[in-house]
Amino acid sequence: MSFKNLLLLCSIIWLGVSCKSEKEDPGPSGPGVPASFGFNSLKVNGAYSGFKYNDVNLKPKVRFTFSAPINNATVANGVTFQSASGEKIAFTSVQEGGDSSVVITPSADLKYLTSYSVTATKALKSKAGGMLLNEVKVELITALDATDKFPVISDEALLTLVQRQTFKYFWDFAHPVSGLARERDSSGDVVTSGGSGFGIMTIPIAIERKFITRAQGLERMQKIVSFLKKAQTFHGAFPHWLNGATGVVVPFSDKDNGADLVETSFLVQGLLTVRQYFNEGNAAETALRADINAIWEAVEWDWFRKNNENVLYWHWSPNFGWDMNHQIRGWNECLVTYALAASSPTHSIDKTVYDNGWAGNSTFRNGNEYYGTTLPLGEPLGGPLFFSHYSFLGLNPTGLTDRFANYFTQNKAHTLINYNYCKANPQQYYGYSDQCWGLTASDIPNGYNANSPSNDKGVITPTAALSAFPYTPTESMKALKFFYYKLGDKLWGEYGFRDAFSLDQLWFADTYLAIDQGPIVVMIENYRSGLPWKLCMSSPEVKTGLKKLGFTSPAL
């Protein structure tokens, strides 16, 4: 039995005890004092399944049954029907079962995908004048409107539309001084190094897709690189957050106010990809490549071994040193950090650091089967889907193998487990299905969470399924069509799909996050043309580094 069902059972048992006690103790009595009455049962559209109902039709029948006949004249004020926003809903009532049951029906159709509550209050009286001992409230969420919210277009046109609209987050909403990506759409001057790396990778795509010209893309990259050359770094590594106007570190947390090697690797992955794209011999593109090389070669990857340990460390602070003490060990999103550290022409690490640090973790290997799919590496059920996205925006997993795994097999397995988990829906969250799936880190109601099958809050994040297009094109396309055509009136906005949503909680984020928008554009392009993979894997240093670590690939 799921935790959700256990809570439901407990509430039913409690309610039964409550109702029994109401019958046994009718309240104040004596000459002239009417007996109080209790609640007996509830049905919505003829069935009982607790006190919250999803997927309700637009004219539901809510039937309350009490322990005494009800005074019909008190129903209008004794029952409230309203939306979650407080809108009062007109209703009709019919009494049945010797007047002890009251059936409430809205006078007009309710709205689709909207939350309502129907409450029998203490203002409801029995025919004898008795008072209802405890209020009874039922929550209703109406069904999804199955009509298409936008005109149907071809699959290719839809993919292009999603890429173009999502790209606007990095183009139109980029910080005006630095050109870098804001952490989220409400971040002001705070820009993100890793999210900017993802955004940088969208520029060659936008040029090839004719969203912008090559000259425009070059000009934006010149602005970005000029800013990065002057920004605050620590042993060549960038902080997680920067002030987009000044280039000074913005602390991510109390002690995270210095270098972030993982975020730096996401940024460098983007810079190397763009360096490979702007390959013409003119002065402007030659200078851009030279500036990118200067940034790349300044990162002291080997220094982050902390006294030559055979593992890389995530953070270093000028105030707190290595106090965060976070070793970068797999399996997670950080493969590219080790790949670039091995690829560095100036501060390279040896294979022993990869073998002992990244892959030396006791939880690195898996080998178990989940939902009929064997997972080679990582935590049970795979973890959040960004593990299979961030490092593989540039590193092509197709045919990429080492002694630990085939990385396309790994990423496809991870995705299929996530998909099949949502399809099976063991937590019984309303809305999960084969077309509404995808768990990864995102905003959730009143917070942020690394959503996964083992940490599931009932929230679907569009980037999870959409960034998985290279691994599960059929399943991802089904999700894309559902998000756009069926939920587009609530989910689609000026920068593409909003960050996350929950049909179970009837919540839609109004936010956009750089680290979620970027992979959508890049991984859809990797599915369509492989352009980001071709560019990143064409880097001579990346080829050398991957070979050093023991990788083989058709691209090497």
Side-chain angles (χ1 to χ4, degrees):
M1 178 181 294
S2 72
F3 179 69
K4 198 172 180 182
N5 284 338
L6 181 60
L7 286 177
L8 178 61
L9 179 60
C10 290
S11 68
I12 294 169
I13 293 171
W14 175 86
L15 188 59
V17 172
S18 175
C19 292
K20 182 178 179 182
S21 65
E22 288 165 8
K23 294 175 186 177
E24 292 174 348
D25 181 13
S29 60
V33 180
S36 299
F37 66 99
F39 162 74
N40 275 3
S41 64
L42 166 74
K43 287 186 177 180
V44 175
N45 291 330
Y48 173 76
S49 61
F51 292 85
K52 179 181 178 183
Y53 294 77
N54 293 303
D55 204 26
V56 174
N57 64 315
L58 303 188
K59 266 293 187 65
K61 295 182 181 298
V62 179
R63 186 178 193 268
F64 296 104
T65 299
F66 303 97
S67 61
I70 300 303
N71 181 349
N72 183 57
T74 68
V75 172
N77 292 325
V79 175
T80 63
F81 198 148
Q82 63 183 30
S83 70
S85 64
E87 177 190 2
K88 302 296 184 182
I89 305 301
F91 62 87
T92 60
S93 64
V94 175
Q95 290 184 246
E96 299 176 345
D99 291 343
S100 62
S101 294
V102 179
V103 180
I104 306 297
T105 306
S107 300
D109 283 357
L110 301 177
K111 298 175 183 177
Y112 284 108
L113 207 59
T114 303
S115 180
Y116 299 90
S117 63
V118 185
T119 307
T121 74
K122 291 185 179 182
L124 194 66
K125 306 297 183 186
S126 68
K127 285 187 175 181
M131 181 182 72
L132 180 62
L133 284 175
N134 294 297
E135 289 189 350
V136 183
K137 181 178 181 180
V138 57
E139 296 181 15
L140 312 173
I141 295 179
T142 50
L144 171 70
D145 179 4
T147 61
D148 291 332
K149 306 308 182 298
F150 302 113
V152 175
I153 56 180
S154 71
D155 291 357
E156 285 297 303
L158 181 56
L159 290 172
T160 300
L161 173 62
V162 171
Q163 288 182 294
R164 180 190 293 113
Q165 195 86 347
T166 309
F167 171 68
K168 290 180 180 180
Y169 182 89
F170 302 99
W171 192 255
D172 296 346
F173 191 62
H175 192 280
V177 176
S178 64
L180 295 172
R182 292 178 167 104
E183 166 73 8
R184 54 174 60 234
D185 59 316
S186 58
S187 290
D189 278 333
V190 177
V191 297
T192 167
S193 51
S196 292
F198 299 166
I200 287 167
M201 296 184 77
T202 68
I203 288 178
I205 298 166
I207 295 169
E208 292 300 307
R209 293 283 169 192
K210 311 298 184 187
F211 306 158
I212 59 174
T213 66
R214 188 180 185 96
Q216 288 174 314
L218 176 61
E219 182 181 16
R220 178 62 60 86
M221 283 307 308
Q222 288 170 326
K223 173 188 280 192
I224 288 172
V225 170
S226 295
F227 181 85
L228 290 174
K229 285 171 61 180
K230 300 174 184 177
Q232 189 173 12
T233 59
F234 308 86
H235 292 272
F238 290 85
H240 192 129
W241 285 344
L242 288 163
N243 183 302
T246 66
V248 174
V249 61
V250 175
F252 187 71
S253 64
D254 288 344
K255 293 187 176 182
D256 191 357
N257 65 344
D260 185 315
L261 195 64
V262 173
E263 293 290 311
T264 297
S265 67
F266 298 152
L267 176 59
V268 170
Q269 177 180 228
L271 289 171
L272 292 180
T273 300
V274 164
R275 184 195 70 181
Q276 295 303 106
Y277 181 76
F278 287 105
N279 59 358
E280 294 182 359
N282 59 65
E285 294 195 13
T286 300
L288 177 67
R289 294 194 299 272
D291 286 342
I292 289 174
N293 285 337
I295 294 169
W296 153 231
E297 293 173 5
V299 182
E300 298 175 25
W301 305 89
D302 54 346
W303 187 82
F304 285 87
R305 292 174 61 182
K306 195 181 91 170
N307 301 321
N308 288 321
E309 294 179 30
N310 283 327
V311 64
L312 292 174
Y313 281 78
W314 199 306
H315 312 93
W316 181 82
S317 162
N319 308 103
F320 306 103
W322 302 102
D323 278 7
M324 292 190 70
N325 201 38
H326 192 162
Q327 296 178 340
I328 306 173
R329 295 187 179 275
W331 176 254
N332 51 43
E333 74 275 27
C334 305
L335 176 63
V336 71
T337 309
Y338 277 86
L340 291 175
S343 302
S344 171
T346 52
H347 297 279
S348 182
I349 62 167
D350 296 325
K351 186 174 184 294
T352 53
V353 183
Y354 173 78
D355 290 339
N356 296 328
W358 170 249
N361 190 4
S362 61
T363 59
F364 183 73
R365 295 178 185 268
N366 190 305
N368 296 311
E369 184 177 293
Y370 308 94
Y371 297 99
T373 298
T374 300
L375 183 68
L377 304 176
E379 64 185 72
L381 294 164
L385 273 183
F386 69 83
F387 288 2
S388 60
H389 302 156
Y390 292 177
S391 283
F392 300 98
L393 300 180
L395 298 181
N396 185 353
T398 309
L400 184 68
T401 61
D402 66 0
R403 66 188 182 93
F404 303 113
N406 175 301
Y407 290 92
F408 192 90
T409 300
Q410 163 67 26
N411 293 342
K412 183 173 182 177
H414 182 190
T415 308
L416 284 173
I417 291 165
N418 197 289
Y419 163 79
N420 282 307
Y421 168 88
C422 292
K423 184 178 176 182
N425 193 15
Q427 299 294 325
Q428 297 184 351
Y429 287 119
Y430 173 62
Y432 282 25
S433 72
D434 64 343
Q435 59 185 345
C436 185
W437 64 275
L439 306 180
T440 194
S442 71
D443 285 346
I444 62 172
N446 303 310
Y448 188 87
N449 187 59
N451 303 301
S452 72
S454 56
N455 187 21
D456 183 8
K457 307 294 185 183
V459 173
I460 298 296
T461 307
T463 189
L466 303 186
S467 300
F469 254 101
Y471 314 127
T472 52
T474 300
E475 295 84 352
S476 294
M477 181 59 76
K478 189 178 290 187
L480 170 54
K481 290 179 176 180
F482 181 77
F483 298 156
Y484 181 72
Y485 292 120
K486 307 306 180 185
L487 295 180
D489 56 331
K490 298 180 182 295
L491 199 57
W492 181 256
E494 60 180 331
Y495 302 129
F497 292 110
R498 295 182 175 88
D499 194 53
F501 67 93
S502 173
L503 294 180
D504 187 77
Q505 300 167 64
L506 207 57
W507 169 84
F508 291 83
D510 57 3
T511 51
Y512 299 94
L513 276 64
I515 58 172
D516 289 341
Q517 300 308 100
I520 293 174
V521 181
V522 177
M523 291 302 269
I524 287 179
E525 192 60 37
N526 276 327
Y527 162 67
R528 299 181 79 182
S529 71
L531 176 64
W533 284 342
K534 292 172 187 174
L535 291 171
C536 185
M537 297 295 283
S538 71
S539 166
E541 304 99 313
V542 171
K543 291 177 183 289
T544 299
L546 289 173
K547 289 177 182 177
K548 180 197 292 189
L549 296 183
F551 284 90
T552 60
S553 164
L556 297 180

